[in-house]
Amino acid sequence: MAAEVLINAGIQVDLYDAMPSVGRKFLMAGKGGMNISHAESFEQFVLHYGDRKENVEALLKLFSPEDLRNWVHSLGIDTFIGTSGRVFPKDMKAAPLLRAWLHRLRTAGVNFHMRHQWQDVTVKNKVNLGFSSPNGNVNVTCDAVILALGGGSWPKLGSTGAWVPLLEEHNVHVSPLKPSNCGFEVTWSDYFKVKFSGQPLKSVRVSVKDIDGVVRAQTGECVITESGIEGGVIYALSAFLREEILSKGSVTLGVDLLPHLDRDILIKKLSKPRGKASMANHLRKQLGLDGVKAGLLRECLLSADFENIEYLCSMIKHLPVKLIATRPIEEAISSAGGVSFESLNTSLMISQLPGVFCAGEMLDWEAPTGGYLLSACFASGKVAALGVIQKLKEAC
Ligand SMILES: Cc1cc2nc3c(=O)[nH]c(=O)nc-3n(C[C@H](O)[C@H](O)[C@H](O)COP(=O)(O)OP(=O)(O)OC[C@H]3O[C@@H](n4cnc5c(N)ncnc54)[C@H](O)[C@@H]3O)c2cc1C
């Protein structure tokens, strides 16, 4: 996005990437359906950036979710709004979009240099960059550089986070990269693990108290994994869950297995005589509670708990599942942490390194999935490019 804004302003652009081709994570984002943005109001949209709302809102004001949709259309790709308000390219894929975009950038004159691993930067009058490449070390002198090196998740797609110490050497403050939109570890019994890993928990409501004691909850789906739990509702709460684990060593997730039924109704139904039926059958017949949901109940409770109907119903509505760690950052959809906004001016230029700008996931913000990640990446790319244009004007 930065390259596009700059080349359209008549500035020569050279784009370097360590990988053999660009946009590998962008392509991966398209695998399960590329959710590029969300159709909710701007006021609602920006709430998803948590503590960094103000910083990201300033970026999105210059390239809004609406602008992003129009930009996709300008590439000849239609978009649609899903039932949940999420915005997708019509065919849900990233590849046609990336192809059309790269074609447009190349035609406009952007020079691509692949397999160039950025190694260092020095700033005097100009910005000097050092790269390693298959042809040896390459030095480049330019008027300005925009670093858009990604976070730390899925490093095999190029975003290794190897840039962190390189910027710290220049006293740039970087908050540690941490997994975001990630799965969590739970110590399941061998029986539960073997029987239920890979199974979806459909329509549950999960909740957690954040560090300020505010209850954060999500209704939807998640999946039991061999090592714990992951999926939509877990990703949405991942920032709160992660921070609780970091401060207390573990966190208890409350799982409402039957969010559409009140506890009183559960008590009424389960209090019906069950005759010779086993408790498992009674739960299935009266509440439709079976399969992985019933398995989770057994996993987290003692046998005696099934004799006390009122307590059992409380547990069905708020089953405590202890999460002990995040899954590794390598598996996370995105990362939190990065170059702190306090190290940057409003154009995203590093204060200690005039002429060096930053954009994308390498900045210190995080957001849930739902198009919020790409939207902020695009917007920050545009803001950094506008900052470069301004700086070049001032230098003339
Ligand atoms: C499985 C998955 C699904 C996702 N789905 C969605 C989704 O549906 N919607 C959404 O909004 N977001 C989604 N995301 C997140 C989104 O893809 C990222 O937030 C976004 O791609 C980040 O863009 P970026 O340009 O900041 O970094 P990246 O896309 O990570 O790009 C960084 C680039 O920098 C290069 N690089 C890094 N270090 C160096 C170096 N030292 N020298 C040279 N080059 C370097 C890398 O090779 C890479 O090409 C998903 C992510 C994953 C992993």
Side-chain angles (χ1 to χ4, degrees):
M1 178 48 64
E4 181 156 334
V5 173
L6 291 170
I7 202 88
N8 288 343
I11 292 164
Q12 185 194 323
V13 182
D14 286 85
L15 192 150
Y16 297 85
D17 199 301
M19 298 298 278
S21 60
V22 292
R24 292 191 169 205
K25 191 175 277 184
F26 188 77
L27 285 175
M28 178 53 72
K31 276 253 164 94
M34 160 145 285
N35 182 194
I36 195 120
S37 188
H38 201 288
E40 67 204 337
S41 70
F42 188 78
E43 291 69 32
Q44 282 295 318
F45 193 94
V46 295
L47 292 178
H48 295 277
Y49 297 94
D51 289 352
R52 288 303 184 182
K53 173 185 169 280
E54 275 174 30
N55 301 97
V56 181
E57 183 173 7
L59 307 175
L60 290 167
K61 277 189 175 155
L62 289 169
F63 194 68
S64 68
E66 181 70 28
D67 294 333
L68 178 53
R69 270 189 90 181
N70 291 332
W71 175 83
V72 175
H73 298 162
S74 77
L75 286 165
I77 311 257
D78 263 354
T79 55
F80 74 95
I81 302 173
T83 43
S84 56
R86 295 191 293 166
V87 176
F88 300 90
K90 199 152 189 196
D91 59 4
M92 309 280 282
K93 292 181 185 153
L97 204 161
L98 184 62
R99 242 190 333 266
W101 187 14
L102 290 176
H103 177 71
R104 188 158 85 182
L105 291 173
R106 284 201 178 95
T107 309
V110 175
N111 303 310
F112 287 82
H113 309 266
M114 295 299 99
R115 299 179 202 270
H116 280 65
Q117 171 85 27
W118 172 60
Q119 304 275 15
D120 66 72
V121 60
T122 49
V123 177
K124 286 188 183 136
N125 288 334
K126 299 252 180 186
V127 178
N128 299 296
L129 301 167
F131 295 92
S132 62
S133 82
N135 300 323
N137 291 341
V138 174
N139 291 306
V140 173
T141 301
C142 53
D143 294 312
V145 61
I146 297 174
L147 301 173
L149 304 169
S153 78
W154 285 67
K156 62 185 172 191
L157 301 176
S159 49
T160 59
W163 54 267
V164 174
L166 301 180
L167 287 185
E168 283 177 336
E169 266 173 34
H170 292 276
N171 298 320
V172 178
H173 183 257
V174 181
S175 303
L177 299 180
K178 296 182 272 193
S180 181
N181 293 301
C182 56
F184 287 83
E185 299 196 355
V186 183
T187 322
W188 301 129
S189 66
D190 287 344
Y191 171 80
F192 184 76
K193 209 186 310 190
V194 170
K195 188 136 196 237
F196 295 110
S197 67
Q199 296 214 19
L201 274 173
K202 286 201 177 167
S203 197
V204 288
R205 184 172 188 274
V206 295
S207 59
V208 63
K209 263 193 196 157
D210 71 12
I211 22 184
D212 301 321
V214 178
V215 176
R216 309 283 180 167
Q218 282 287 323
T219 304
E221 291 183 20
C222 55
V223 183
I224 300 296
T225 65
E226 213 168 295
S227 55
I229 192 161
E230 64 176 41
V233 290
I234 302 296
Y235 298 158
L237 295 184
S238 63
F240 308 114
L241 297 169
R242 181 194 66 226
E243 292 308 310
E244 281 291 287
I245 291 175
L246 284 174
S247 80
K248 296 179 186 150
S250 68
V251 62
T252 301
L253 182 72
V255 182
D256 183 346
L257 294 169
L258 297 171
H260 53 289
L261 292 176
D262 285 346
R263 178 175 170 270
D264 288 349
I265 293 180
L266 300 186
I267 293 173
K268 210 168 155 191
K269 285 179 178 255
L270 277 192
S271 299
K272 288 184 185 166
R274 68 173 153 118
K276 286 184 180 164
S278 65
M279 187 44 124
N281 266 337
H282 195 52
L283 283 167
R284 182 173 53 75
K285 275 193 195 151
Q286 294 300 327
L287 306 181
L289 200 64
D290 58 4
V292 59
K293 283 188 175 178
L296 187 60
L297 202 57
R298 285 268 165 213
E299 175 75 3
C300 298
L301 298 183
L302 302 169
S303 303
D305 297 335
F306 286 78
E307 304 307 323
N308 179 339
I309 296 295
E310 294 208 351
Y311 180 74
L312 180 61
C313 292
S314 299
M315 291 297 102
I316 291 170
K317 292 301 287 174
H318 195 86
L319 190 65
V321 178
K322 188 175 169 192
L323 314 186
I324 54 169
T326 57
R327 290 295 297 157
I329 194 166
E330 288 77 11
E331 292 175 16
I333 287 182
S334 59
S335 56
V339 177
S340 72
F341 280 92
E342 289 67 28
S343 300
L344 305 166
N345 70 12
T346 50
S347 300
L348 303 180
M349 187 176 81
I350 299 176
S351 312
Q352 290 97 318
L353 294 170
V356 180
F357 296 72
C358 296
E361 205 180 302
M362 71 183 290
L363 301 178
D364 184 14
W365 56 271
E366 69 177 308
T369 56
Y372 306 105
L373 299 164
L374 284 170
S375 294
C377 289
F378 275 95
S380 61
K382 175 158 183 186
V383 169
L386 294 176
V388 169
I389 294 169
Q390 183 61 29
K391 186 162 192 315
L392 297 185
K393 270 192 197 148
E394 284 165 10
C396 284

